């Protein structure tokens, strides 16, 4: 009986030591403290965390890459200008289609001194392109290295912008010098540059042209003046 009591006492002591090593709470597991409460995530919040925001980029809070997106600023659009007006926004007609301007890239230009009217010259522009082009305002002339721009006779301004279909020609007349000799600073030019205006006054209409002059040159003085572009040759000659 003595031996039985010793065995029982020994077994009880071993069990008590095992419980103490496991945390002493009698459950057989180690106590790691109270768990933090978890807030449930709604489906809308999950969707928002995966959707990239405009104008941002990088990574979301969970490390997922998102694409950089950007909404471009709105740009104002030009209003079409009616045909038949000198000027505008670069469009012609109600359809808003772009205007093709006549210039040195899509035309051939000639300059021909005239016997009548006296001291006059005719400039002819022929559309060699595949689309109709327009000639706003008047030619911008420069003889040699001239530092001033001849002005246009406002009495020659047409009712509508000159429009040239492929193969058609437009015209401008040039008064080179005063018939009575009243002009000042007369000189003989060897080179002529013809500039083209855009749809706004004094704006560039594209490449200029350099038509040939007679070998003897062209005499001009301070009376130098031009007409507006004309649809008909007679309107440029009878000036």
């Amino acid at each position: 009986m003595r031996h039985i009591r010793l065995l029982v006492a020994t077994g009880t002591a071993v069990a008590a030591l095992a419980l103490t090593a496991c945390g002493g709470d009698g459950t057989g597991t180690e106590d790691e403290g109270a768990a933090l409460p978890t807030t449930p995530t709604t489906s809308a919040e999950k969707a928002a965390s995966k959707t990239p925001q405009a104008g941002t980029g990088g990574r979301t809070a969970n490390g997922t890459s998102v694409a950089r997106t950007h909404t471009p600023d709105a740009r104002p659009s030009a209003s079409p200008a009616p045909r038949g007006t000198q000027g505008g926004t670069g469009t012609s007609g109600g359809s808003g289609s772009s205007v093709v301007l006549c210039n040195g890239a899509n035309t051939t230009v000639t300059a021909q001194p005239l016997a009548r009217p006296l001291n006059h010259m005719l400039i002819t522009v022929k559309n060699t392109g595949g689309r109709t082009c327009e000639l706003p305002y008047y030619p911008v002339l420069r003889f040699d290295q001239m530092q001033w721009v001849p002005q246009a006779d406002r009495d020659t301004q047409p009712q509508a912008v000159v429009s040239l279909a492929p193969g058609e020609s437009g015209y401008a007349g040039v008064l080179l010098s005063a018939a009575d000799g009243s002009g000042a600073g007369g000189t003989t030019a060897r080179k002529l540059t013809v500039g083209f205006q855009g749809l706004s006054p004094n704006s560039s209409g594209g490449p200029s042209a350099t038509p040939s002059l007679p070998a003897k040159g062209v005499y001009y003085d301070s009376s130098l003046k031009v007409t507006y572009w004309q649809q008909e040759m007679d309107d440029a000659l009878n000036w």
Side-chain angles (χ1 to χ4, degrees), residues 122-138:
L122 178 68
I123 296 178
T124 303
V125 175
K126 183 178 181 180
N127 182 359
T128 57
R131 299 174 62 183
T132 298
C133 67
E134 294 186 351
L135 284 169
Y137 305 105
Y138 52 88

Side-chain angles (χ1 to χ4, degrees), residues 14-79:
V14 172
L17 288 174
L19 290 173
T20 301
C22 290
D25 61 354
T27 62
T29 61
E30 184 177 359
D31 184 7
E32 295 180 349
L36 295 175
T38 301
T39 302
T41 301
T42 65
S43 59
E45 290 172 336
K46 291 179 180 179
S49 67
K50 296 180 181 180
T51 303
Q53 300 297 315
T56 62
R59 296 181 178 274
T60 59
N62 63 1
T64 303
S65 296
V66 297
R68 179 178 295 275
T69 60
H70 176 69
T71 302
D73 296 335
R75 300 290 182 186
S77 58
S79 300

Side-chain angles (χ1 to χ4, degrees), residues 4-234:
I4 292 173
R5 292 191 186 98
L6 288 175
L7 291 173
V8 172
T10 301
T12 301
V14 172
L17 288 174
L19 290 173
T20 301
C22 290
D25 61 354
T27 62
T29 61
E30 184 177 359
D31 184 7
E32 295 180 349
L36 295 175
T38 301
T39 302
T41 301
T42 65
S43 59
E45 290 172 336
K46 291 179 180 179
S49 67
K50 296 180 181 180
T51 303
Q53 300 297 315
T56 62
R59 296 181 178 274
T60 59
N62 63 1
T64 303
S65 296
V66 297
R68 179 178 295 275
T69 60
H70 176 69
T71 302
D73 296 335
R75 300 290 182 186
S77 58
S79 300
R83 293 181 62 87
T85 60
Q86 295 275 11
T89 58
T91 57
S92 175
S95 64
S97 59
S98 296
V99 165
V100 175
L101 295 172
C102 304
N103 53 46
N106 56 12
T107 66
T108 57
V109 182
T110 60
Q112 178 185 358
L114 303 173
R116 293 287 184 273
L118 187 65
N119 301 339
H120 278 64
M121 183 170 68
L122 178 68
I123 296 178
T124 303
V125 175
K126 183 178 181 180
N127 182 359
T128 57
R131 299 174 62 183
T132 298
C133 67
E134 294 186 351
L135 284 169
Y137 305 105
Y138 52 88
V140 179
L141 303 186
R142 185 184 187 190
F143 285 107
D144 294 333
Q145 302 300 315
M146 190 169 61
Q147 299 299 310
W148 54 282
V149 177
Q151 296 302 300
D153 186 340
R154 292 192 176 277
D155 291 338
T156 65
Q157 183 172 355
Q159 294 297 316
V161 176
V162 173
S163 180
L164 305 180
E168 290 186 340
S169 296
Y171 309 90
V174 182
L175 172 63
L176 294 169
S177 60
D180 59 4
S182 60
T187 186
T188 298
R190 306 293 179 181
K191 179 182 178 181
L192 171 63
T193 301
V194 179
F196 299 86
Q197 299 190 57
L199 294 182
S200 297
N202 302 315
S203 65
S204 174
S208 59
T210 54
S212 299
L213 294 179
K216 64 179 181 179
V218 171
Y219 179 85
Y220 73 94
D221 62 22
S222 60
S223 303
L224 185 63
K225 187 182 293 186
V226 301
T227 69
Y228 280 74
W229 290 114
Q230 306 295 323
Q231 197 81 52
E232 303 296 333
M233 182 186 297
D234 287 346

